[in-house]
Amino acid sequence: MTIHGFPLLSLMIVLPLFGALFILLMRGENAVVERNAKRVALWVSLTNLLIALVTWGQFNPQLTDYQLVESYSWVQQFHTAFSLGLDGLSLPFVLLTTFLTPLCILMSWHSIEQKVKAYLLMFLLLEALVLGTFLATDLVVFYIFFEAVLIPMYFIIGIWGGERRVYAAFKFFLYTLAGSLLMLVAILAMTSEIGTTSMIDITGKTFSFEWQRWLWLAFFMSFAVKMPMWPVHTWLPDAHVEAPTSGSVILAGVLLKMGGYGFIRFLLPMFPDASLYFAPLVYTLSLIAAVYTALVAMVQEDIKKLIAYSSVAHMAFVTMGIFTFDINGLQGAMAQMISHGLISSALFLCVGVIYDRMHTREIAFYNGLALLMPRYAVLFVLFTMASVGLPGTSGFVAEFLVLLGSIQVSGWMTWLLALSMITGAVYMLYLTKRVIFGKSTNKKLLDMKDISLRESIILYPLAGLILVMGIYPSVVLKMSELKVVEILKPIKETSMRTIKQEGNE
Amino acid sequence: MIYLASIFLPLISFIILGLFGSKLKDQGAAWISASLVILSAICGSMVFYKVAVLGKAEVFHLMDWVSSPTFSASWNLKFDTLSAIMVLVVTSVSSMVHVYSIGYMHHDPSVPRFLAYLGLFTFFMLMLVTASNLLQLFFGWEGVGLASYLLIGFWYEKESANAAAMKAFVVNRIGDVSFALGLLLIYVVTGSLDFDVIFSKIDLISHTQWSFLGIHIQAATAIVLLLLVGASGKSAQLGLHVWLPDAMEGPTPVSALIHAATMVTAGVFMLVRMSPVVELSEVGLMVIACLGALTAFFAGTVAITQNDIKRVIAYSTCSQLGFMFFAVGVSAYHAAMFHLFTHAFFKALLFLGAGSVIHALCDEQDMRKMGGVWRSIPMTYAMMWVGTLALTGFPLMAGYYSKDLILESVFASSLPVSKMVFVVGIMATAMTALYSWRLMFLTFHGKARADEQVMARVHESPPVMIIPLFVLAIGSVFAGMFAHGLFSSQEAFWRGCITILPNHDVAEIIHHLPIWVTKMPLLAGITGFLLAWFMYIKQTQLPLKLATSYPSLYNFLFHKWYFDELYHQMMVKPVWCLGFMFWKKGDQGVIDPFLPDGMAKTVDRFALKLSRFQSGYVYQYAIVFLLGVILLTVWQLYSGVWTKV
């Protein structure tokens, strides 16, 4: 069955917006409205997941061009059009986003008590904007979505967050905004140089080396903050700690990936020479992140902060993988992003489960949950192992592919990167040892109940996907394989050229 | 069909118990899992017969795993002689341990969970040994690590058990990372991780050289050394052995299955599997031999001074693994596998026997509080005798054949360090006898040192525990006698599973060794026995006297050469301090104040100054306004714009 010409992609963006509008207009008794709003939000997000699955069915992994393209002319002066398209790079992220959003809404079913309507509205808005970011094929459209994502996230942290939510929200906003303003400058510069904002047209153009380097740096700043890379990572732990559970999930699961997506989508194909030129910088920052943040994660006393720091360490694999310019490295980076999207989401959800019961995230407060919540403990240990990168889980496939890529670049860098497999085991197992195992000495814990049906519905699919991706990763890897090969072509040519030149000299 | 059944039945047991464990009654769960694993063992024996004896090697392709245009690894089941031996060992010991656990874990509140873990472990171990590529081997490798972690920490309410579990996982991880780097280097050279491809490109490996930090190193040597570190993590060789004694926190059946018979031998198996590559590196072989010898010696000395019955056997395992390693080091792969095979039976027997003793004495593990119980638990006592005889290499018992084969091969080897290794090996053999008989005498003979309440309740274990002991005892007696011919007949049995370069091959030489060499191990064993008898039966005051007259030596051995203390000071503490430093000084001390907060403050300060202008007083605004007008006028006058207009 094919649905030719049906605007599936814009439907995916418009539907949540429509849902948000609907929720906004709801009137009536508070309790009834809240209940209905939750249902509307859930059904809208589930429908969106269904649409995403349909687009997956429509998607042909043998093609590297954008598929299901739509274009509506907008600012004709700059040849700017509201254009959307799907390819092997964006499809995994679209699926991840549409999969995580219903889980987030389900997770906040009872835990959000104030301004429920506004909260759900923000989430649907967020989904639409994130999808727009991944689907945009025009620089201006991309930039608008990319920036607009900040707004609902800012409110989610700032309104429904913890005690220091205002500080965290501002830090998050300013950090990321400062980064992306440079990108705006770069986009304006590119547009005035080329006269179009279509990403397809730009990818074909080659800029002079001088230009490439400036543009590369501007884009890099913006994405590096999003990733986040060391040393611009300090907004992440604060944002995670203060954000409500589902905010953390969407932040770690999807928002961070916009950085890695940007690297692969813009830096590599548009500025191949500059990418090669700056690769050592990226290696250095990634390796520092892998070692440094893992050690910091070890000594944390707050569960969420620990997982946040571990995210930074895991993202180092992504940046490292991308700049190996090797098919395995790049595919590993893609896999790591999806895998981390599932694993860190699952871990944050697990924290949410106990936070809902006890309202604290302090590690020392918890003890011996295995006895009190056996099913929860099983899932927690599974997610821990996935985070540690045990073979059979998605984490292993991703990290191994990145290592396969990086060994082609340098042995000792690979060694340093591999060290984080040890430190990763230390901080995750140390967390498990303290929270899950042991004897519950804290009397307050004794009446904690095991996961409810709603929580099972949230956590089991994640566990399933992590295992499926660990045992048969082709499900994900095949989507992006050909596209990645295509992106690497110009870089391979450049590096061959430089090698030849050096040989001639 | 039976091939698949032997591998997947334990997984099915895990899934059934994992999903429905809480609904099944303990006994029901126990019998379901035990019968599934026994079935798997029957299939396993048939597989061994078909593959190893009849020579029908087979490879099953299950499905693709990781694939990219330049790399691929699949899920396969590879049955050749080497893996068939391992399948036989793993499934048979595992089934016996399952049956034994029904009795041993009888009073435990979470029997299904325990048996589920055992099933999971067995499955991972079988995936490890039947891998046809290194990546799947790594899957099993880390998988057994997980199962071991879960089982060591099985009694998770005990703080010490949790600490031991985590220690085991992390120390193993250190080895695993090295192993993974070894895989990556193999991939760099050969472009694949499939055994067949790697072994077909053996010339490429032997001709590749790298320079690392200015030192030229053979590719083969680098690979072998990295794999060796991986192997010594799993097989508890000196340096990475620290987790094994602590792992005794787990239930005793676990110690028998994982920390004696199967998992810890995975390192030996891996090196034997990689024999074509290992053979290429002269340096690598030498390091393996030395490491093995050192471990055998070290663990032997420590075992003599320990008081916990399980720790003695744990160090004994460590020491025996050292024997297997130095066998690999002198290219006697078949001897290493032979010792692995026999050791699995008698060491599992000893552990399960020790479990039976512990069970009888109301969970007492300290040998200083045992003694004089042999009359009350005669069956256990007899089984322990068989195990000890086999371990110490009494003629015609299993250990006699395998240990002699190893030591003879060592003596015959042309490796530069082989004579030294031989001497150390003989010393370790004497120590093996000493600590084994010390254990027997302290546990069963002499005065009863347990208190009266315990002594009154000493009882023989139920049949469900004794029968597995009996089966393993049969193995300990006959495994050597019958398998000796198979293992030492080179090509007829191995069929290309192991590669020995012609100049390393000692098969011919060991038939012409001087007679004193072949009798040395037995002599060493007898010496050890007599020493033990003298110290623990005849002159029972002597051990204490020795300990008090040489306190520094005694403490050095008793504290296991201070490895734990050393690692704590050198690794754990600094890493922890570094973590705190990065967090408090790095993130909160430098990055935050300068980047986000610093920038925000600068903007703030600037804005504050600007805001002074908006004071709200009209006269101030008026002055500024006036000043502005004056300035503008002056500027216009001097710049000459005025005149143009």
Side-chain angles (χ1 to χ4, degrees):
Chain A
M1 191 187 76
T2 51
I3 315 171
H4 286 295
F6 191 80
L8 274 176
L9 300 185
S10 31
L11 182 67
M12 248 194 292
I13 298 173
V14 172
L15 187 70
L17 287 179
F18 193 72
L21 190 71
F22 192 78
I23 290 176
L24 187 68
L25 296 177
M26 277 181 167
R27 289 288 179 272
E29 202 186 324
N30 222 356
V32 181
V33 168
E34 280 179 7
R35 202 186 60 213
N36 288 336
K38 281 177 194 166
R39 288 184 184 168
V40 168
L42 184 63
W43 281 112
V44 165
S45 60
L46 281 175
T47 317
N48 229 20
L49 173 60
L50 199 71
I51 300 173
L53 291 175
V54 171
T55 53
W56 187 15
Q58 299 290 310
F59 177 77
N60 180 357
Q62 304 300 326
L63 302 176
T64 55
D65 290 339
Y66 285 108
Q67 301 176 33
L68 303 168
V69 261
E70 295 167 34
S71 191
Y72 310 94
S73 72
W74 189 11
V75 189
Q76 289 180 347
Q77 212 175 337
F78 304 113
H79 300 283
T80 300
F82 186 85
S83 54
L84 305 173
L86 187 75
D87 68 355
L89 286 186
S90 44
L91 178 62
F93 295 106
V94 168
L95 289 170
L96 184 68
T97 310
T98 48
F99 172 71
L100 287 178
T101 307
L103 296 189
C104 285
I105 290 169
L106 257 184
M107 189 62 205
S108 33
W109 212 253
H110 296 304
S111 52
I112 299 296
E113 284 153 356
Q114 280 168 1
K115 305 185 185 125
V116 179
K117 237 176 73 172
Y119 186 80
L120 296 164
L121 191 146
M122 287 299 164
F123 250 92
L124 290 179
L125 186 63
L126 191 62
E127 183 183 20
L129 297 174
V130 170
L131 287 173
T133 312
F134 288 128
L135 291 173
T137 60
D138 185 283
L139 271 179
V140 174
V141 179
F142 171 82
Y143 183 77
I144 290 171
F145 277 124
F146 187 82
E147 287 295 87
V149 166
L150 291 182
I151 301 165
M153 200 60 220
Y154 170 77
F155 284 121
I156 288 172
I157 298 175
I159 297 179
W160 293 275
E163 276 166 24
R164 293 173 71 231
R165 57 178 180 263
V166 177
Y167 172 76
F170 268 100
K171 202 172 178 181
F172 159 75
F173 196 90
L174 289 179
Y175 238 130
T176 35
L177 186 73
S180 24
L181 282 178
L182 288 170
M183 183 167 78
L184 179 63
V185 175
I187 289 176
L188 291 176
M190 280 163 78
T191 315
S192 65
E193 180 80 3
I194 293 180
T196 174
T197 57
S198 155
M199 276 151 63
I200 305 164
D201 295 343
I202 291 174
T203 311
K205 297 276 190 324
T206 42
F207 296 92
S208 73
F209 187 47
E210 191 66 26
W211 266 86
Q212 278 197 27
R213 279 192 294 184
W214 286 111
L215 295 173
W216 190 95
L217 277 176
F219 273 87
F220 176 74
M221 276 303 284
S222 157
F223 297 136
V225 171
K226 264 281 184 325
M227 278 301 291
M229 291 178 79
W230 188 89
V232 286
H233 65 280
T234 56
W235 64 269
L236 187 74
D238 282 315
H240 270 311
V241 167
E242 299 308 326
T245 304
S246 26
S248 288
V249 171
I250 220 76
L251 186 60
V254 182
L255 261 57
L256 301 191
K257 276 71 201 179
M258 285 161 48
Y261 173 77
F263 280 157
I264 304 181
R265 172 70 80 204
F266 296 94
L267 295 188
L268 261 53
M270 292 183 192
F271 322 118
D273 304 331
S275 293
L276 275 169
Y277 177 79
F278 283 115
L281 171 74
V282 179
Y283 297 152
T284 316
L285 295 182
S286 308
L287 289 174
I288 293 177
V291 176
Y292 179 108
T293 48
L295 289 178
V296 176
M298 239 178 248
V299 295
Q300 294 306 310
E301 285 135 18
D302 180 306
I303 309 180
K304 266 190 156 180
K305 224 169 192 167
L306 193 154
I307 302 171
Y309 273 109
S310 86
S311 291
V312 183
H314 281 131
M315 285 299 111
F317 271 88
V318 175
T319 44
M320 191 76 192
I322 293 172
F323 284 86
T324 58
F325 309 116
D326 179 82
I327 173 84
N328 293 324
L330 222 68
Q331 283 283 71
M334 285 295 288
Q336 175 77 335
M337 282 194 270
I338 302 299
S339 149
H340 178 264
L342 298 172
I343 297 167
S344 68
S345 302
L347 285 169
F348 278 123
L349 288 166
C350 278
V351 179
V353 166
I354 51 176
Y355 184 79
D356 283 353
R357 287 164 174 68
M358 289 289 134
H359 298 283
T360 176
R361 294 176 310 262
E362 209 185 323
I363 295 175
F365 183 85
Y366 297 99
N367 217 331
L369 292 185
L371 193 67
L372 305 163
M373 309 168 70
R375 274 184 295 149
Y376 174 78
V378 170
L379 286 167
F380 194 95
V381 171
L382 175 76
F383 297 138
T384 300
M385 287 302 154
S387 170
V388 166
L390 201 82
T393 64
S394 56
F396 171 73
V397 176
E399 288 179 11
F400 185 75
L401 282 172
V402 170
L403 290 176
L404 272 185
S406 77
I407 192 84
Q408 307 280 9
V409 179
S410 152
W412 70 266
M413 277 185 347
T414 312
W415 178 74
L416 269 179
L417 199 61
L419 277 188
S420 71
M421 285 168 70
I422 302 173
T423 45
V426 174
Y427 61 70
M428 284 315 290
L429 291 184
Y430 189 45
L431 172 69
T432 314
K433 177 176 161 240
R434 287 179 289 174
V435 173
I436 298 295
F437 299 130
K439 200 167 193 163
S440 0
T441 42
N442 191 339
K443 286 223 168 56
K444 287 180 198 152
L445 294 174
L446 290 179
D447 51 345
M448 275 178 88
K449 291 207 172 55
D450 207 345
I451 47 173
S452 65
L453 179 67
R454 176 178 60 90
E455 286 156 347
S456 311
I457 292 174
I458 297 169
L459 291 175
Y460 280 110
L462 280 166
L465 282 181
I466 287 168
L467 289 178
V468 167
M469 223 186 118
I471 293 166
Y472 190 70
S474 298
V475 182
V476 176
L477 291 178
K478 284 286 174 260
M479 288 183 203
S480 55
E481 192 171 284
L482 286 176
K483 184 74 192 176
V484 164
V485 171
E486 192 201 60
I487 288 173
L488 283 175
K489 244 182 237 159
I491 293 177
K492 283 268 143 63
E493 282 162 15
T494 312
S495 59
M496 291 304 276
R497 210 164 51 225
T498 32
I499 289 168
K500 258 186 206 158
Q501 274 169 3
E502 276 166 13
N504 290 340
E505 281 161 17
Chain B
M1 195 56 213
I2 55 161
Y3 291 87
L4 294 180
S6 64
I7 308 294
F8 285 104
L9 282 172
L11 180 67
I12 293 171
S13 156
F14 164 70
I15 292 170
I16 293 177
L17 294 195
L19 291 180
F20 312 111
S22 49
K23 292 179 190 79
L24 294 166
K25 287 224 169 60
D26 282 3
Q27 286 299 306
W31 286 111
I32 288 176
S33 78
S35 40
L36 282 170
V37 179
I38 289 174
L39 205 60
S40 151
I42 294 168
C43 294
S45 333
M46 280 152 76
V47 167
F48 178 76
Y49 180 73
K50 274 197 175 175
V51 175
V53 181
L54 299 181
K56 286 182 189 152
E58 286 201 57
V59 179
F60 295 89
H61 174 75
L62 300 177
M63 62 186 212
D64 288 341
W65 187 14
V66 183
S67 79
S68 86
T70 55
F71 174 79
S72 82
S74 330
W75 296 106
N76 286 343
L77 298 179
K78 178 189 174 86
F79 292 94
D80 58 3
T81 305
L82 190 57
S83 55
I85 296 170
M86 292 303 285
V87 169
L88 177 69
V89 169
V90 172
T91 54
S92 54
V93 176
S94 175
S95 61
M96 285 308 111
V97 167
H98 269 81
V99 175
Y100 181 90
S101 303
I102 299 175
Y104 190 84
M105 301 298 285
H106 188 66
H107 301 294
D108 199 275
S110 36
V111 175
R113 181 164 63 93
F114 180 74
L115 293 167
Y117 289 168
L118 281 187
L120 183 68
F121 167 79
T122 311
F123 169 70
F124 277 132
M125 192 69 206
L126 290 169
M127 288 302 272
L128 190 165
V129 299
T130 56
S132 78
N133 58 60
L134 278 166
L135 202 64
Q136 188 189 328
L137 198 151
F138 193 70
F139 165 79
W141 187 270
E142 289 240 289
V144 290
L146 166 69
S148 157
Y149 164 78
L150 292 172
L151 283 163
I152 296 170
F154 179 73
W155 287 313
Y156 53 75
E157 290 188 19
K158 255 167 69 185
E159 187 56 35
S160 56
N162 291 328
M166 185 176 156
K167 185 173 173 184
F169 197 98
V170 171
V171 174
N172 266 299
R173 248 303 153 107
I174 296 171
D176 292 357
V177 164
S178 167
F179 184 15
L181 290 172
L183 302 197
L184 294 173
L185 289 189
I186 290 176
Y187 168 76
V188 169
V189 182
T190 64
S192 174
L193 291 180
D194 267 345
F195 291 129
D196 296 338
V197 181
I198 298 170
F199 299 156
S200 69
K201 292 189 179 168
I202 212 77
D203 286 343
L204 204 61
I205 301 178
S206 70
H207 291 133
T208 309
Q209 283 220 334
W210 287 310
S211 77
F212 186 74
L213 299 174
I215 307 160
H216 283 283
I217 188 166
Q218 246 199 318
T221 303
I223 291 168
V224 170
L225 290 181
L226 284 170
L227 293 185
L228 173 64
V229 176
S232 47
K234 198 109 284 183
S235 295
Q237 295 298 292
L238 195 65
L240 292 179
H241 67 281
V242 287
W243 65 273
L244 185 62
D246 288 21
M248 297 301 126
E249 289 290 340
T252 308
V254 171
S255 315
L257 176 62
I258 302 185
H259 306 122
T262 55
M263 185 186 87
V264 288
T265 60
V268 180
F269 167 80
M270 187 261 280
L271 289 176
V272 174
R273 177 59 93 195
M274 295 305 289
S275 62
V277 180
V278 175
E279 280 293 285
L280 294 177
S281 168
E282 211 62 34
V283 180
L285 284 171
M286 214 132 77
V287 175
I288 296 174
C290 292
L291 182 69
L294 269 175
T295 310
F297 179 77
F298 153 80
T301 58
V302 175
I304 295 171
T305 57
Q306 298 302 305
N307 292 319
D308 184 313
I309 184 168
K310 284 181 73 182
R311 279 184 186 243
V312 174
I313 310 181
Y315 276 105
S316 157
T317 306
C318 201
S319 172
Q320 297 305 309
L321 289 166
F323 276 82
M324 297 176 210
F325 266 67
F326 66 68
V328 170
V330 298
S331 304
Y333 302 103
H334 58 288
M337 283 309 289
F338 187 28
H339 197 53
L340 188 162
F341 182 73
T342 58
H343 175 259
F345 291 105
F346 58 70
K347 195 48 72 66
L349 172 63
L350 281 173
F351 259 122
L352 294 184
S356 182
V357 173
I358 295 166
H359 196 71
L361 287 165
C362 304
D363 295 333
E364 182 57 62
Q365 301 198 4
D366 194 335
M367 293 195 296
R368 287 170 299 186
K369 293 179 187 162
M370 295 180 180
V373 293
W374 68 273
R375 258 184 254 272
S376 333
I377 43 176
M379 286 303 285
T380 307
Y381 178 58
M383 297 303 159
M384 287 291 277
W385 255 89
V386 175
T388 307
L389 283 176
L391 170 62
T392 53
F394 189 77
L396 302 182
M397 305 292 268
Y400 169 75
Y401 292 98
S402 53
K403 199 178 285 178
D404 279 15
L405 186 62
I406 289 180
L407 288 170
E408 285 166 16
S409 309
V410 169
F411 190 84
S413 161
S414 57
L415 206 71
V417 293
S418 69
K419 297 298 178 285
M420 211 173 69
V421 172
F422 180 75
V423 174
V424 176
I426 293 295
M427 281 159 70
T429 310
M431 282 189 286
T432 307
L434 174 58
Y435 65 68
S436 304
W437 291 111
R438 169 176 176 265
L439 184 147
M440 286 300 283
F441 296 149
L442 280 179
T443 309
F444 293 104
H445 293 271
K447 265 190 293 200
R449 293 179 296 274
D451 56 40
E452 280 172 21
Q453 278 184 333
V454 175
M455 283 309 285
R457 273 190 285 163
V458 170
H459 57 283
E460 186 59 278
S461 301
V464 76
M465 284 166 71
I466 294 296
I467 292 167
L469 288 182
F470 196 70
V471 175
L472 289 170
I474 293 175
S476 308
V477 176
F478 297 109
M481 225 182 288
F482 288 113
H484 182 237
L486 278 180
F487 278 81
S488 48
S489 62
Q490 301 282 345
E491 264 318 290
F493 178 66
W494 293 100
R495 297 183 193 86
C497 287
I498 52 179
T499 304
I500 304 176
L501 292 186
N503 58 332
H504 291 158
D505 199 354
V506 292
E508 267 311 301
I509 311 173
I510 58 169
H511 293 306
H512 312 289
L513 287 179
I515 191 92
W516 64 271
V517 172
T518 55
K519 294 297 172 215
M520 272 302 269
L522 186 61
L523 214 66
I526 292 171
T527 316
F529 172 76
L530 290 177
L531 219 62
W533 177 79
F534 189 71
M535 285 168 75
Y536 296 97
I537 297 275
K538 190 89 173 126
Q539 293 281 331
T540 45
Q541 293 309 309
L542 192 59
L544 195 69
K545 257 189 224 159
L546 280 175
T548 41
S549 29
Y550 304 102
S552 51
L553 178 68
Y554 175 75
N555 277 325
F556 182 65
L557 296 183
F558 185 72
H559 289 107
K560 312 138 201 164
W561 295 26
Y562 294 108
F563 265 102
D564 280 329
E565 289 79 1
L566 190 73
Y567 284 170
H568 190 75
Q569 290 296 333
M570 281 182 53
M571 297 292 302
V572 181
K573 263 183 155 178
V575 164
W576 226 253
C577 289
L578 212 59
F580 262 109
M581 201 187 79
F582 283 155
W583 182 32
K584 294 287 182 194
K585 300 258 161 67
D587 269 18
Q588 296 182 357
V590 178
I591 294 175
D592 266 359
F594 277 95
L595 279 169
D597 294 1
M599 277 200 271
K601 272 209 193 93
T602 315
V603 173
D604 219 40
R605 231 176 287 135
F606 196 60
L608 207 68
K609 286 206 174 118
L610 276 181
S611 71
R612 296 240 174 91
F613 281 100
Q614 299 173 22
S615 58
Y617 296 109
V618 178
Y619 67 92
Q620 284 184 353
Y621 291 168
I623 287 172
V624 173
F625 178 70
L626 201 66
L627 278 174
V629 170
I630 293 169
L631 269 174
L632 212 68
T633 324
V634 171
W635 180 66
Q636 294 284 20
L637 278 175
Y638 278 88
S639 62
V641 183
W642 210 266
T643 46
K644 268 185 191 165
V645 175

